[in-house]
Amino acid sequence: MDVKIAEDWKALLQEEFDKPYFEELTRFVREEYAARQIFPAGRNIFRAFDRCPLSSLKVVIIGQDPYHGEGQANGLCFSVNDGVRFPPSLQNIFKEIHDDIGSPIPTSGNLDRWAEQGVLLLNSVLTVRAHEAASHAGRGWEQFTDAVVRKIAEHKQGVVYMLWGSYAQRKGQIADTKQNLILKSVHPSPLSVYRGFFGCRHFSQANAYLQSIGKEPIEW
């Protein structure tokens, strides 16, 4: 199957695109876009990969499924379009960055600026029905993004994995703890943020590690 995605990712993932489950997933997603309001816009389904080519990958952050509110999802986990009010988890991420490294709270929640520095902002499920959280779960996206994480683990070392919450930690458990930096905490949602996300200092730890292996730090 010919999927429109960044070329180096396409080469790495082509065997997944050719599997029967992915063909069935594609059929389902096309039917959903034709019949319902689905987020993100179709052109942005693989945007996390297009904004962060495999060749520049330094950090992996794993989310669950896209925001399901109007105008929020843009293809990068936790990210929203310019001018969109910050969802609570994103507010908490920015607060931790400010407390950790002193960066001011940004005016935009669009995280393209991270992706373009090598941060893969990967949702486990890449599409969702409007106002129906997890409505595309269990349709094949998880199998695909499991394969993405596995391929990264096989082909890239010296990667920082930020695994927030038990869901992300299960998905990222394949990563080699000796060849990469694995950072774990609770999820930044309001329900859990005070149980270990605030004060986790993942952003300064990530940059210290990247510099220690000769890579440029991320401007968070």
Side-chain angles (χ1 to χ4, degrees):
M1 179 173 292
D2 185 23
V3 176
K4 294 181 179 178
I5 192 171
E7 285 302 317
D8 57 0
W9 284 113
K10 187 172 185 177
L12 189 70
L13 298 170
Q14 187 61 55
E15 64 180 342
E16 291 300 311
F17 298 145
D18 290 338
K19 290 180 178 178
Y21 87 87
F22 195 86
E23 292 191 20
E24 181 60 33
L25 170 62
T26 300
R27 187 177 306 113
F28 165 74
V29 170
R30 284 174 176 163
E31 290 172 356
E32 286 284 283
Y33 273 91
R36 301 171 180 268
Q37 186 179 23
I38 305 297
F39 300 132
R43 66 183 180 279
N44 290 334
I45 293 173
F46 295 104
R47 191 160 174 269
F49 301 92
D50 295 332
R51 290 292 183 183
C52 178
L54 179 66
S55 59
S56 66
L57 177 66
K58 300 176 183 176
V59 178
V60 176
I61 297 177
I62 297 175
Q64 288 189 245
D65 63 341
Y67 295 124
H68 54 82
E70 192 76 39
Q72 291 181 307
N74 66 8
L76 311 181
C77 72
F78 295 106
S79 175
V80 292
N81 289 314
D82 293 331
V84 175
R85 184 177 179 180
F86 300 166
S89 291
L90 185 57
Q91 290 183 38
N92 291 334
I93 291 168
F94 287 155
K95 184 179 187 303
E96 174 58 22
I97 292 170
H98 172 72
D99 292 347
D100 184 9
I101 61 176
S103 296
I105 303 296
T107 56
S108 172
N110 189 331
L111 301 181
D112 279 10
R113 59 187 180 274
W114 292 6
E116 290 162 2
Q117 296 176 76
V119 181
L120 180 66
L121 293 153
L122 179 67
N123 274 316
S124 178
V125 176
L126 301 188
T127 55
V128 69
R129 292 176 186 168
H131 314 301
E132 294 184 42
S135 48
H136 283 186
R139 293 289 188 161
W141 279 129
E142 295 94 337
Q143 185 174 345
F144 170 69
T145 52
D146 280 350
V148 171
V149 176
R150 185 172 63 251
K151 292 287 189 181
I152 294 170
E154 290 170 356
H155 291 271
K156 298 280 286 190
Q157 297 177 353
V159 174
V160 180
Y161 291 82
M162 293 184 174
L163 305 176
W164 300 334
S166 57
Y167 186 94
Q169 289 166 23
R170 287 193 300 272
K171 200 168 188 74
Q173 64 186 357
I174 191 172
D176 186 344
T177 58
K178 295 180 181 178
Q179 301 293 332
N180 307 281
L181 178 64
I182 315 299
L183 299 173
K184 298 179 181 181
S185 81
V186 298
H187 194 274
S189 80
L191 297 175
S192 57
V193 70
Y194 287 101
R195 291 191 283 110
F197 184 80
F198 284 156
C200 69
R201 302 186 65 83
H202 281 185
F203 303 94
S204 59
Q205 290 182 66
N207 279 352
Y209 175 77
L210 291 172
Q211 289 178 297
S212 76
I213 59 173
K215 296 183 179 181
E216 286 293 316
I218 305 297
E219 291 186 18
W220 299 108

